[in-house]
Amino acid sequence: SSGINAEWPLRPGNQVILRRLFMSRQNRPALSLARITRQMKSRGDKTVVVVGTVTDDKRIFEVPKLRVCALRVTEGARTRIIKAGGTIITFEQLAVESPLGQNTVLMQGRRNAREANRHFGAPGLPKTHAKPFVRLRSRNHEMARGKRKSRGYKA
């Protein structure tokens, strides 16, 4: 029997990975090389496990020697990791190397970094910072529900 869930003992760490493997793409956000580098400064030479995509980040100049296990690694990130002397492995290789998840650091990207999350809420209401779906902000936009009693409610 092949496949990750058949080969791995279902330890708590592996259950987390298995649960994340079944997640939708919105819940498997990308993780940049800069964030990985920053997090790994204090953690020594452990394997970074990302159930998602590892992306390149032009804002950092030196990438340290990293050992990364991810579902996808973008072309730019792949070349920079390998150029720094690091390695990229698959989840199958990780299951063979450390079946109990020893010497691994599980990371994930920010789920609320999507642009769509800026629009959540009611724009135009006091004390809210939701971004309106209009091209320009003027006094005539966003004047319906929540702004006038005659249009449902007034906050």
Side-chain angles (χ1 to χ4, degrees):
S1 64
S2 64
I4 290 175
N5 60 354
E7 291 168 10
W8 270 359
L10 279 179
R11 294 280 192 275
N14 297 340
Q15 279 179 329
V16 172
I17 291 174
L18 185 63
R19 192 174 69 237
R20 287 187 190 175
L21 280 168
F22 284 112
M23 283 182 180
S24 63
R25 259 186 72 185
Q26 279 183 12
N27 290 321
R28 287 189 285 110
L31 189 65
S32 71
L33 263 180
R35 192 171 286 272
I36 292 174
T37 310
R38 195 170 67 235
Q39 295 286 337
M40 292 307 287
K41 269 184 186 157
S42 60
R43 293 204 167 98
D45 52 347
K46 293 186 173 183
T47 305
V48 181
V49 180
V50 181
V51 185
T53 309
V54 174
T55 55
D56 190 14
D57 202 331
K58 295 275 188 269
R59 295 172 298 182
I60 57 165
F61 303 113
E62 281 118 33
V63 178
K65 186 178 175 183
L66 291 170
R67 186 167 177 71
V68 179
C69 169
L71 282 183
R72 255 184 86 241
V73 181
T74 61
E75 205 55 50
R78 186 179 295 276
T79 49
R80 287 185 76 180
I81 290 169
I82 291 169
K83 197 184 242 181
T87 49
I88 299 165
I89 61 171
T90 63
F91 278 94
E92 281 78 10
Q93 290 166 312
L94 181 73
V96 172
E97 283 177 23
S98 59
L100 307 180
Q102 54 271 54
N103 288 328
T104 60
V105 178
L106 195 55
M107 291 187 194
Q108 63 180 349
R110 290 174 53 226
R111 291 185 193 182
N112 289 339
R114 286 192 314 137
E115 210 276 334
N117 287 353
R118 294 177 183 216
H119 296 283
F120 294 163
L125 293 191
K127 297 188 181 71
T128 61
H129 299 284
K131 187 179 180 182
F133 283 108
V134 292
R135 281 176 303 208
L136 46 112
R137 272 190 63 126
S138 69
R139 62 187 181 82
N140 289 336
H141 285 105
E142 305 287 337
M143 285 297 294
R145 292 183 69 238
K147 293 290 274 188
R148 291 181 291 175
K149 265 270 176 65
S150 60
R151 301 289 183 270
Y153 71 99
K154 174 147 175 44

